Amino acid sequence: MQYDLSALIKAFPFLLYGAIVTIRITALSIAIGLIIGFLTGLARVWPNVIFRTIAGAYIELIRGTPLLVQIFIVYFGLPALGMNLDPFIAGMIAMGINSGAYVGEIVRGGIESIAKGQMEAARSLGLTYWQAMRYIILPQAIVRILPALGNEFIALLKDSSLVSTIAIAELTRTGQIIITRTFKSFEIWSGVALFYFVMTYAISRIVKYSEKRLRYGE
Amino acid sequence: MSRWAIEVNSLNKFFDTHHVLKNIDLRVSFGEVVAIIGASGSGKSTFLRCLNGIETIHSGEIVIDGVKINDIKVNLNKVRQSIGMIFQSFNLFPHMTALNNITLALQKVKKMPKADSEKVAFQLLEKVGLEEKAKSYPSQLSGGQQQRVAIARALAMNPRVMMFDEPTSALDPETVNDVLDVMKELAHEGMTMIVVTHEMGFAREVADRVVYIDDGRVIEDGKPEEVFYNPKNPRLRDFLSKVINV
């Protein structure tokens, strides 16, 4: 048996198109995840116990259930409540909510890793809690959590293959469709893997680069 | 204007069931320099932290420059602007240059324009002898230099009172004097200062009053010569024999 490179070359434009859909849904989910995650992380260290509890429950619930099931709940479950969502929107929302929980824990860890004296010094100068968070704590925390955030983005990009199950023609789904027509499993799946690798490697480089840019005083 | 810079009436503080500060009374006039001495764990740092509201208190009253700070209606952020706080571990903001450490609160709290805040910062850096370090990050400065930047940062807010929590305890011996010199200068300029310290030489030379705290109580409070040369309390005598002329 031989590796049929021409099959892969023929499939290339379609896989590229699928990869673009993967990038789009992942990028949008990351954006949603970052917003939810930062709010959740801040709520987790918030002096008020009600916010802390709600954020804690959200994180436990999301981390304790599979992303695939969460995607099904949003796409197949919500229509029962009268909410019909486009597959792309449903996938994006499910992934964003899922990622928010993980980002929330990362953000909480980052904030808690900053020495207590930083908050005390900021408050003793008359800054409010929020000003201290914004100008003193978060800028330092973000530098520390970048590697962990990078891991989360990479995991999310790979997990985006799960939305192939709700008929979104992203990279994995595109591969499946091509194989049903060409039967070139090995060629196409290795091509799909290569596409994923290039994308995750790009994220990894971008995170490394930002880490270098954001480091201070060395 | 009130009569006292700082007035503390029967202050009590607990950590869980541990009674750390017991019925502390203290009055400090404007321009006075008060050194607080005592063994580690005696409650002296906790006391200082209560005075600017970092730690909450359980009973009693703290009045700073006429404002009762342990009152839920009081705006602590406002009060804290008039209290400069210096920490043992400096607590400079590591992601900002020395200059920006000083200008941040001027811009964000006092809403001062950037150019004006930098002018103030440069004046203060010059005062502490570090104008050439304006663009340096804390990690590029020695401990003594960091502590002097921290003093400049606190002074920028134009405080009525400066509090020092063991300002030289984390320093290399050769940089201690640079910091003490800046503090002496402040004292001579008439700044009201409370200094928790192990530097008995500084307490003896610069302080107007020395307060000895032991086990959460003020045991002795008097002029340095009385406290150091004629201690009445046996525990203070014991403490002094351990820290002086070893």
Side-chain angles (χ1 to χ4, degrees):
Chain A
M1 212 207 128
Q2 247 196 10
Y3 193 89
D4 183 1
L5 195 61
S6 67
L8 184 52
I9 292 168
K10 243 192 268 167
F12 188 88
F14 300 101
L15 292 180
L16 181 65
Y17 188 79
I20 290 168
V21 175
T22 292
I23 290 172
R24 271 181 55 211
I25 198 162
T26 305
L28 291 167
S29 315
I30 285 175
I32 296 172
L34 279 175
I35 294 167
I36 298 179
F38 268 84
L39 292 176
T40 309
L42 285 168
R44 288 282 281 160
V45 297
W46 186 247
N48 185 322
V49 70
I50 298 169
F51 287 103
R52 282 211 305 269
T53 312
I54 294 172
Y58 158 68
I59 288 170
E60 291 302 332
L61 208 64
I62 296 297
R63 284 200 310 193
T65 51
L67 174 57
L68 186 59
V69 173
Q70 293 162 10
I71 291 169
F72 286 166
I73 289 175
V74 174
Y75 185 62
F76 297 116
L78 289 188
L81 305 176
M83 278 178 71
N84 280 301
L85 295 172
D86 171 79
F88 186 88
I89 302 285
M92 177 186 82
I93 289 174
M95 279 169 58
I97 290 176
N98 179 274
S99 184
Y102 292 93
V103 173
E105 276 300 84
I106 293 169
V107 170
R108 179 189 64 83
I111 291 172
E112 286 179 346
S113 78
I114 305 299
K116 261 183 108 177
Q118 290 289 307
M119 179 59 98
E120 291 176 357
R123 298 303 302 278
S124 76
L125 289 167
L127 271 75
T128 64
Y129 180 85
W130 279 116
Q131 285 177 321
M133 262 300 162
R134 175 161 168 219
Y135 299 112
I136 306 302
I137 309 297
L138 283 180
Q140 295 181 60
I142 286 169
V143 178
R144 290 196 193 175
I145 66 178
L146 264 180
L149 282 181
N151 283 343
E152 168 57 21
F153 299 158
I154 286 171
L156 193 65
L157 184 127
K158 291 185 293 179
D159 287 347
S160 72
S161 61
L162 291 172
V163 300
S164 61
T165 55
I166 55 170
I168 298 173
E170 42 66 76
L171 183 54
T172 299
R173 178 89 177 144
T174 307
Q176 277 172 337
I177 294 167
I178 295 170
I179 290 163
T180 56
R181 293 190 193 142
T182 61
F183 303 107
K184 301 282 184 189
S185 279
F186 185 52
E187 288 80 355
I188 301 301
W189 283 133
S190 54
V192 167
L194 187 67
F195 265 102
Y196 276 114
F197 177 75
V198 169
M199 291 188 286
T200 55
Y201 190 70
I203 295 180
S204 159
R205 296 313 303 175
I206 292 168
V207 169
K208 279 257 157 56
Y209 175 77
S210 347
E211 260 179 79
K212 255 209 209 123
R213 282 288 313 276
L214 287 171
R215 223 174 278 154
Y216 39 77
E218 274 154 43
Chain B
M1 198 164 106
S2 70
R3 195 165 150 229
W4 303 104
I6 299 168
E7 189 180 350
V8 178
N9 294 316
S10 45
L11 164 63
N12 280 286
K13 160 98 187 154
F14 292 82
F15 283 130
D16 291 324
T17 56
H18 181 44
H19 199 171
V20 275
L21 297 175
K22 299 165 184 165
N23 268 319
I24 292 197
D25 290 305
L26 186 75
R27 275 164 190 67
V28 178
S29 328
F30 286 100
E32 205 174 11
V33 177
V34 176
I36 299 181
I37 59 169
S40 301
S42 58
K44 55 193 193 310
S45 285
T46 306
F47 175 58
L48 202 67
R49 291 161 63 84
C50 288
L51 293 185
N52 84 339
I54 297 178
E55 299 282 354
T56 54
I57 66 171
H58 290 80
S59 66
E61 185 183 50
I62 298 171
V63 184
I64 303 224
D65 195 13
V67 181
K68 184 177 169 190
I69 71 154
N70 57 313
D71 186 331
I72 35 167
K73 279 172 286 178
V74 86
N75 181 353
L76 258 186
N77 299 324
K78 193 91 194 153
V79 178
R80 285 188 178 122
Q81 292 176 44
S82 63
I83 308 170
M85 184 84 184
I86 302 301
F87 301 88
Q88 182 177 350
S89 49
F90 332 128
N91 294 347
L92 288 184
F93 308 133
H95 59 305
M96 294 179 179
T97 60
L99 186 74
N100 290 341
N101 262 275
I102 301 171
T103 57
L104 178 81
L106 288 173
Q107 291 170 12
K108 303 303 174 194
V109 179
K110 296 218 162 176
K111 311 289 177 205
M112 196 182 272
K114 188 164 180 264
D116 295 357
S117 71
E118 287 182 350
K119 204 187 279 171
V120 172
F122 272 112
Q123 280 166 2
L124 288 165
L125 281 172
E126 197 184 333
K127 186 186 175 83
V128 300
L130 291 171
E131 64 273 43
E132 82 282 7
K133 298 289 186 188
K135 299 286 178 204
S136 299
Y137 284 90
S139 59
Q140 298 162 326
L141 300 173
S142 74
Q145 291 171 333
Q146 289 191 54
Q147 194 61 297
R148 283 186 281 155
V149 173
I151 293 173
R153 178 175 73 175
L155 289 175
M157 299 307 282
N158 213 359
R160 300 295 311 267
V161 180
M162 284 283 281
M163 299 184 184
F164 298 81
D165 186 5
E166 303 194 24
T168 57
S169 296
L171 298 180
D172 294 329
E174 67 268 24
T175 64
V176 167
N177 280 326
D178 295 338
V179 173
L180 291 181
D181 286 344
V182 170
M183 291 169 63
K184 277 177 206 166
E185 195 190 328
L186 277 181
H188 290 313
E189 287 169 5
M191 175 64 77
T192 309
M193 293 164 64
I194 299 198
V195 185
V196 169
T197 188
H198 291 294
E199 293 288 333
M200 295 303 149
F202 176 84
R204 201 158 34 187
E205 190 187 334
V206 182
D208 300 304
R209 254 165 75 201
V210 176
V211 172
Y212 172 63
I213 294 187
D214 184 56
D215 193 26
R217 283 178 218 280
V218 173
I219 304 286
E220 219 154 310
D221 177 349
K223 293 200 175 310
E225 47 269 33
E226 294 164 18
V227 174
F228 284 118
Y229 300 117
N230 193 14
K232 297 177 207 84
N233 183 282
R235 298 201 53 158
L236 172 57
R237 246 175 272 152
D238 184 48
F239 172 74
L240 288 173
S241 71
K242 281 179 192 147
V243 293
I244 294 181
N245 304 327
V246 228

